[in-house]
Amino acid sequence: MKALELACLLLIIVPQVVLGTHDVYIVTMEGEPVVSYRGGVEGFPATAIDLDEDMDITSEAVTSYSLHLRRYHDKLLDSLLVEGTYEKLYSYHHLINGFAVHMSPLQAEFLRKAPGVKHVERDMKIQKLTTHTPQFLGLPTGVWPTGGGFDRAGEDVVIGFVDSGIYPQHPSFSAHKTDPFGPVPHYKGKCEMDPVTRRSFCNGKIVGAQHFAKAAIAAGAFNPDVDFASPLDGDGHGSHTAAIAAGNNGIPVRMHGHEFGKASGMAPRARIAVYKVLYRLFGGYVSDVVAAIDQAVQDGVDILNLSVGPNSPPTATRTTFLNPFDAALLSAVKAGVFVAQAAGNGGPFPKTLVSFSPWITTVAAGVDDRRYKNHLVLGNGKLLPGLGVSPATHENKSFSLISAADALLGSSATKYSALDCQRPELLNKRKIQGKILLCGYSFNYISGTASIKKVSETARSLGAAGFIVAVENSYPGTKFDPVPVSMPGILITDVSRTKDLIDYYNSSTIRDWAGRATTFQATAAIADGLAPTLYNSAPQVALFSSRGPDVKDFSFQDADVLKPDILAPGNLIWAAWAPNGTDEANYAGEGFAMVSGTSMAAPHIAGIAALIKQKNPKWSPSAIKSALMTTSNTLDKGSHPLRAQQYSTSEIMTLTRATPFDYGSGAVNPKAALDPGLVLDATHQDYITFLCSIPDVEHSEVSNITGSTCSSSSKVQQRPYDLNIPSITISQLRGTQTVKRTVTSVAAEAETYTIMTRMSPEIALEVSPPALTVLPGASREITATLTARSVTGTYSFGEITMKGNRGHLVRIPVVAMGFK
């Protein structure tokens, strides 16, 4: 006993001597969390439940075991570290057993060696992965009527948003002009009060609102004056994603006196639960996110939407799938919660995904059929295409052009970057009045310190007839989006068209001996750009959408998991915005915004998953994911194969034939997903077996992070691609491999399926049996045999198609690379 006391004394004394710089660490402990505890600790009955049961988080068993874990965390820290040298931020007890603590690296090392500690990992930052789409996806006519119409679509399903908060006064979240919202008995989340107004953030539509910032505060990143110590959205991102998934139906999108249509969420009667973890200036921290996820599942959400992700694959574990973030989501799925996560905005380059694990539905961003385009007509007859959601110049007439460079007030203005037209006080109003102001596009627009909105305000204050922003230099990777403005305006993005414009302007402008412009003879007219144009070549994979293949570790080795999983609209999406939001300078002070990102794609899937959950409340998250994937489309509206936006060798955007690494299984088809015929289901134990089968991953690491043990034969009998998911991916196909998949009927009647295959010639793909009949609720197994015919060093793509005699069509994408 004295030896133990001495060891504890040493542990206490050393951190007093050298503490070093403090960081936030996530610590995983031995012992099961609430969601998987099946007894074994004296005095504490089991709390784990089966998937088709609802956990009562207020029960004595859950409450007492949660308190037991929290006290154990506190006792451990008190026994090892000196009071005042560390700060425990969170106790995680529902999905994982552990805690987040602010301490020094030396203290973290001591904690790693302590009895009962499984894993210690330093916190990571996370980032945001930043209408018309209900009609594009066929919801009003094909899906909502099956659930009782838009006024019942998603009824009593709770979607949790782990994001930047919400602006509760927005009409998309109002409870006043809709049928009354009743209580949701299975949801037990709390509502914080606005510290300024002292009013609750909840209203019946919004059923929960909490914020998590302890890690951000400990890291010194949080500024309460800017970031709001409440669920209030100071960014805009969270309000936007919540409205896409669950915003009220039929909300007029009005801006600058023009109505752009009616906005609606995918599931307009679903409830919204807000878990704020993202902040204006710095993003967020994984330990805050894990706390939010733990709380959301404990509260009883049905769906989780994560439009956030890590900045890079985790470095502290041997595989991307084993980290506290993904482990918490695995436990969420075990608890019956469907998880949609944005794929990331690192496209069009390969291996840029920030969502890795097979239990998560990873969503890529598509460009839908609506595009906003405009054009400029020069006085010499040339027509220059551009972007500008704006009215036409007055009576469609032409007006004289004047460059900002020819309207400067004094030579001192040159030091202020006056040419990007952000500061009206630097420009001569008398010269500009009644003319179209020609401005330059600088790096300030990319960095966010300049905006098209500000150009519009500058031009209006100077009495201009309109404005042009012209891109003179190439900015590789820059995404140019049309911006709604209140006056005639256009952005010319093509550098060669800008040269045509400048050449015309210079040749038509008379100057004196000193080079000063004296007469402005160049004229132009800006067309009406308020109405969108609809295209059949949709959807397309958006340029920015992160691409596969999925990676299994920090060295970016390919994983035997297909990612992304599915494609959903994510480009130029109209939805609610927080008027005090700062995420998009062009929408500062506005109530709606049209923005792009896989952040916008994920809530489309979260909302559609809510509709599936409403119809099939007992389905597992993997069954919902399967329904979405196996019924998706690989053809666009024109019946052509999906295409992906890509860069050419000259860094010009082109379209190439898309692959599963761009879109996963395909573009979401909500109507078909409600009635998929067959699903491929996977249990929590299946996911553990998958983790245990990954080469070079120690079984102890799986146990330390997930709390579940591997069987001794996992690596021998199981391969990662044996996981029963609705895709097959083999990153290193040597010779011949057989892969089995189990399909389960969710149809009302027996159905016979004919099975067909399609595969690139480098790989031979055969499936048996060639046909099978599946009874309602029954399961059948199919076997796919893949043989590498040649070694090309590139992936081959194909699919297994199961066509039922009652109209169901099930597709399973197949991806493989032949190896010697």
Side-chain angles (χ1 to χ4, degrees), residues 51 125 186 205 282 390 502 512 514 570 581 669 686 702 795:
L51 187 61
K125 270 193 170 184
H186 72 273
K205 173 69 173 176
F282 59 88
S390 80
I502 293 173
D512 64 15
N669 180 348
D686 291 335
V702 176
Y795 278 96

Side-chain angles (χ1 to χ4, degrees), residues 716-750:
V716 177
Q717 298 178 354
Q718 188 86 7
R719 302 154 303 182
Y721 48 82
D722 288 322
L723 179 63
N724 197 50
I725 55 178
S727 61
I728 296 173
T729 303
I730 304 179
S731 60
Q732 296 184 14
L733 175 62
R734 290 180 168 89
T736 297
Q737 297 289 342
T738 58
V739 183
K740 298 182 185 299
R741 289 292 184 266
T742 299
V743 295
T744 301
S745 173
V746 291
E749 300 177 276

